[in-house]
Amino acid sequence: MASVLLVEDDPSIRTHLTDFLSGQGHVVRSTSHGFEALREVTQRSPDIVILDLGLPDLDGIDVLRMIRGISQVPVLVATARDEEAEVIRLLNTGADDYVVKPFSGGELLARLGAVLRRTTSRAAPGTAYAKATSDTVRVGGLLIDPGARTAHLDGVQVPLTRREFDLLLYLARHSGRVVSRQRILTDVWRQAYVEDQTLDVHVSALRRKLGERAARPRYLHTVRGVGIKLVSPA
Ligand code: CA
């Protein structure tokens, strides 16, 4: 059971989804306006937000941006457009996932469950990441020990700053997947708005210390316009 904030201005969709999600055991509050949604997020800390992009008072993407400025609550966006550019924009702005309208209750429920499973570890901002288990993470020849806060590449210790270590560990825990810049800033820096260059500077430093260049990456890959991916070199 989760507390869900549904932000949707179409009354029939709102009623339908509220009934459906309540019937599945969730506690649902709903609003049709962006500003009201921001107030709800601040005052009631829902477990998850389902956000329609077309709202009467604010552009949904702006609501998403503002939510990210104040909270790490998981956000599932309902969009009418299934286009690559749109999806990239949503993920970069901090959406955790999206559903394309019209969607079935079953699909919504599946996405909701997946997002909640994936994000419960950051439900308590500022503590979840620090409390992570000290299990060693291995990606190819990289061995990262969160307990000792050390990283070894092919048996040789890599000297890292605190933030570089956090970034490397985070990427290693998501290895093989592209992580959006926004997600990294939210989870590693724990701030929604950090200078874009900050991340670039840290990625460059990491790359140098791993002995690779952007033009010929082995472990650290930048996916232009999307994010960053740490992989085990082939
Ligand atoms: Ca709408």
Side-chain angles (χ1 to χ4, degrees):
M1 185 197 86
S3 61
V4 179
L5 173 63
L6 174 64
V7 190
E8 166 65 68
D9 62 315
D10 183 317
S12 66
I13 297 179
R14 201 168 65 233
T15 305
H16 173 74
L17 288 181
T18 300
D19 289 351
F20 175 73
L21 291 171
S22 303
Q24 300 292 324
H26 296 298
V27 177
V28 185
R29 290 181 61 87
S30 68
T31 172
S32 52
H33 287 73
F35 281 118
E36 178 68 26
L38 290 169
R39 190 162 60 234
E40 284 279 326
V41 166
T42 311
Q43 294 180 352
R44 296 186 177 265
S45 305
D47 294 326
I48 188 165
V49 177
I50 300 171
L51 175 65
D52 171 39
L53 281 195
L55 297 172
D57 60 336
L58 284 171
D59 190 316
I61 202 99
D62 290 330
V63 177
L64 177 58
R65 201 169 280 129
M66 286 187 259
I67 288 176
R68 276 293 161 264
I70 56 173
S71 169
Q72 298 193 36
V73 62
V75 179
L76 179 61
V77 170
T79 175
R81 288 188 294 159
D82 187 14
E83 296 163 2
E84 191 187 0
E86 173 77 356
V87 169
I88 289 173
R89 191 170 74 116
L90 292 174
L91 295 177
N92 276 342
T93 309
D96 290 275
D97 204 352
Y98 65 98
V99 277
V100 179
K101 288 183 164 186
F103 50 83
S104 67
E107 182 184 1
L108 179 70
L109 211 57
R111 299 250 178 213
L112 198 76
V115 169
L116 284 171
R117 275 196 302 280
R118 232 171 34 224
T119 53
T120 37
S121 62
R122 62 183 166 99
T127 59
Y129 196 64
K131 273 195 310 197
T133 66
S134 61
D135 293 340
T136 301
V137 183
R138 180 189 288 277
V139 180
L142 257 178
L143 198 67
I144 303 163
D145 182 341
R149 293 190 63 85
T150 54
H152 287 78
L153 177 59
D154 301 327
V156 179
Q157 187 166 351
V158 185
L160 298 172
T161 65
R162 186 177 62 85
R163 194 74 88 181
E164 286 163 7
F165 179 84
D166 288 344
L167 176 60
L168 182 62
L169 176 60
Y170 183 79
L171 292 172
R173 285 191 169 141
H174 296 82
S175 68
R177 281 172 283 165
V178 183
V179 191
S180 77
R181 301 174 64 93
Q182 185 63 47
R183 176 63 71 72
I184 294 170
L185 292 176
T186 304
D187 288 355
V188 178
W189 269 261
R190 298 193 207 126
Q191 298 164 29
Y193 299 103
V194 180
E195 286 281 321
D196 241 22
Q197 292 151 320
T198 305
L199 182 54
D200 293 327
V201 167
H202 283 80
V203 168
S204 299
L206 262 187
R207 198 166 257 147
R208 204 167 53 241
K209 290 178 178 181
L210 296 177
E212 57 186 59
R213 290 180 292 132
R216 295 188 62 182
R218 293 178 65 231
Y219 285 92
L220 211 50
H221 294 252
T222 301
V223 183
R224 194 171 291 279
V226 183
I228 296 159
K229 178 168 73 166
L230 186 78
V231 300
S232 174

